[in-house]
Amino acid sequence: MLVAIESSCDETSVAVLNGTDVLSNIISSQLIHSKWGGVIPELASRAHIESITHVLNAALDEAGIGMGNVHALACTTAPGLAGALLVGTNFAKGLSLKYNIPCVPVNHIEGHLYSGFLEDDTLQFPAVTLVVSGGHTSLFFVESYSSYAILGSTRDDAAGEAFDKTAKMLGLGYPGGPLIDALARQGNPSAIEFPRPLLHSQSFEFSFSGMKTSVRHYLQTHHPDGVPHNMLPDICASLQAAIVDVLVQKTIRAATEYAASGIVIAGGVSANSALRQEMAIAARKKNIHFVAPRASYSLDNAAMIGFVAQKKLQAGDSPSFRRLDFEVNSKALRMHKHGSAART
Ligand code: KG4
Ligand code: ZN
């Protein structure tokens, strides 16, 4: 049995895995940030400290085991909020010493990268994974459990920020993604023509900071005295369509150019209903296997961290996982040197 701990941002999560079977995956989301309109790092650290023992106990209970049955630990060490990462990592190191079991450091982005393989064991390498959240918008070419390469990232805002910042402008609240998604269902996606940044560029880079500027410009021009309520669905549907168009077209182009057999979407924005629907349609047209992991594997969660840890243990580097000499790194995208992707 392996116990995995995730605490990189505003979710405290602990999972228990038997091999790659997930026996429990408890996710405690910190609600405290919503009134501030964004994650406050110090509050996140404190909330992790308060909840981590309870979340561990809940995960052990649901799996029906005690710490005596656990043979290995895993924790997220990068990237994320430094204080938040420290809480989970030091908690894991403490358990490792107390129970004399190894602890595997895992990069959070690698958790998202391989979450499609956790969801669907028929998915084959190579795959193209779109990691899209409040902090990241990146495309990866994933060749194996030990080799992947980044194809492109956002130059400025992440797609989640575009949802959150425009929701704030529209007075909808935080986080904005789910609110815009819900309103967009009643709106017309072609009502307003918002720009699709870098859609036709040959690179796999994204840029979303212009999105909020164009929404602001639209609001100032058409609704200087405030947005009428009945316009909200059309604005949300049009904005969402612009973001989804860019994400889908770039991902499909990457999968085609790199001859991927699968496409995975991961991270908070991958919960978006239009993104799931449009990506599924586009992948089917190209005959590419598409996997959108369930919410509990695509939002920040410990199951994906445990899954990566099991793959690392299987690769056979166990002695190093007893040294506990790893540190947290708030920025690192990768922890290892990886192979480079060959374009077809
Ligand atoms: O992965 P996540 O929980 O945390 C980060 O690493 O940021 O992602 C949170 C982001 C927020 O920006 C939120 O607005 C967005 O994911 N999000 C959505 C939806 N659900 C969450 N965006 C669009 N549509 C959704 N249904
Ligand atoms: Zn994440």
Side-chain angles (χ1 to χ4, degrees):
M1 296 295 168
L2 177 138
V3 162
I5 296 168
E6 154 66 36
S7 70
S8 63
C9 190
D10 58 344
E11 263 87 29
T12 315
S13 179
V14 178
V16 177
L17 284 84
N18 184 10
T20 51
D21 290 344
V22 179
L23 303 187
S24 64
N25 182 29
I26 306 292
I27 303 168
S28 166
S29 296
Q30 303 176 355
L31 303 176
I32 186 162
H33 307 290
S34 63
K35 70 175 175 203
W36 304 101
V39 178
I40 310 289
E42 177 56 24
L43 294 182
S45 309
R46 284 189 224 168
H48 284 304
I49 290 169
E50 279 164 18
S51 62
I52 198 156
T53 308
H54 304 294
V55 177
L56 170 67
N57 289 335
L60 292 171
D61 279 356
E62 194 174 305
I65 63 159
M67 278 306 294
N69 307 107
V70 178
H71 300 108
L73 294 152
C75 60
T76 305
T77 54
L81 303 170
L85 287 166
L86 272 172
V87 176
T89 300
N90 285 333
F91 189 69
K93 285 184 178 180
L95 291 172
S96 169
L97 291 171
K98 179 168 178 196
Y99 294 98
N100 191 25
I101 46 180
C103 183
V104 184
V106 175
N107 181 292
H108 180 83
I109 300 299
E110 290 185 10
H112 281 308
L113 274 189
Y114 294 106
S115 61
F117 296 86
L118 170 62
E119 177 64 52
D120 183 343
D121 61 10
T122 68
L123 181 64
Q124 303 275 321
F125 292 114
V128 160
T129 302
L130 172 70
V131 179
V132 62
S133 70
H136 304 275
T137 304
S138 301
L139 268 171
F140 293 86
F141 180 67
V142 186
E143 285 174 305
S144 69
Y145 285 113
S146 58
S147 169
Y148 62 83
I150 191 159
L151 301 178
S153 275
T154 182
R155 292 180 181 172
D156 38 60
D157 287 357
E161 281 178 278
F163 277 106
D164 294 339
K165 288 176 179 173
T166 46
K168 200 171 180 179
M169 250 186 268
L170 295 169
L172 298 179
Y174 176 87
L179 302 166
I180 290 183
D181 193 350
L183 278 164
R185 283 170 217 253
Q186 293 121 46
N188 171 10
S190 320
I192 306 149
E193 184 66 24
F194 288 122
R196 271 90 170 137
L198 299 182
L199 182 62
H200 300 295
S201 111
Q202 281 310 297
S203 80
F204 293 110
E205 291 188 326
F206 300 91
S207 168
F208 289 107
S209 71
M211 221 90 196
K212 59 178 188 294
T213 317
S214 55
V215 174
R216 183 177 300 122
H217 186 249
Y218 167 82
L219 294 177
Q220 280 165 354
T221 314
H222 295 87
H223 307 292
D225 303 321
V227 196
H229 252 279
N230 62 357
M231 274 305 294
L232 283 174
D234 279 356
I235 299 173
C236 290
S238 302
L239 171 80
Q240 181 173 277
I243 297 174
V244 167
D245 244 12
V246 177
L247 294 174
V248 170
Q249 291 198 37
K250 292 234 169 195
T251 306
I252 295 290
R253 187 160 60 75
T256 312
E257 279 188 31
Y258 287 88
S261 55
I263 289 176
V264 179
I265 56 173
V269 179
S270 73
N272 185 267
S273 55
L275 178 61
R276 285 179 173 238
Q277 194 179 338
E278 297 303 319
M279 196 74 89
I281 293 169
R284 201 176 309 126
K285 274 191 198 147
K286 298 275 180 189
N287 224 357
I288 302 173
H289 187 172
F290 170 56
V291 179
R294 70 195 75 173
S296 59
Y297 294 167
S298 63
L299 303 171
D300 288 352
N301 71 91
M304 67 180 189
I305 303 302
F307 181 74
V308 171
Q310 294 288 35
K311 296 293 171 191
K312 290 188 181 211
L313 285 166
Q314 282 166 13
D317 194 18
S318 301
S320 73
F321 299 136
R322 289 190 169 269
R323 288 203 291 270
L324 305 185
D325 53 0
F326 52 85
E327 292 178 357
V328 305
N329 183 336
S330 59
K331 295 220 169 63
L333 190 58
R334 313 171 187 198
M335 297 168 70
H336 302 288
K337 203 166 175 296
H338 293 278
S340 60
R343 221 182 262 234
T344 57

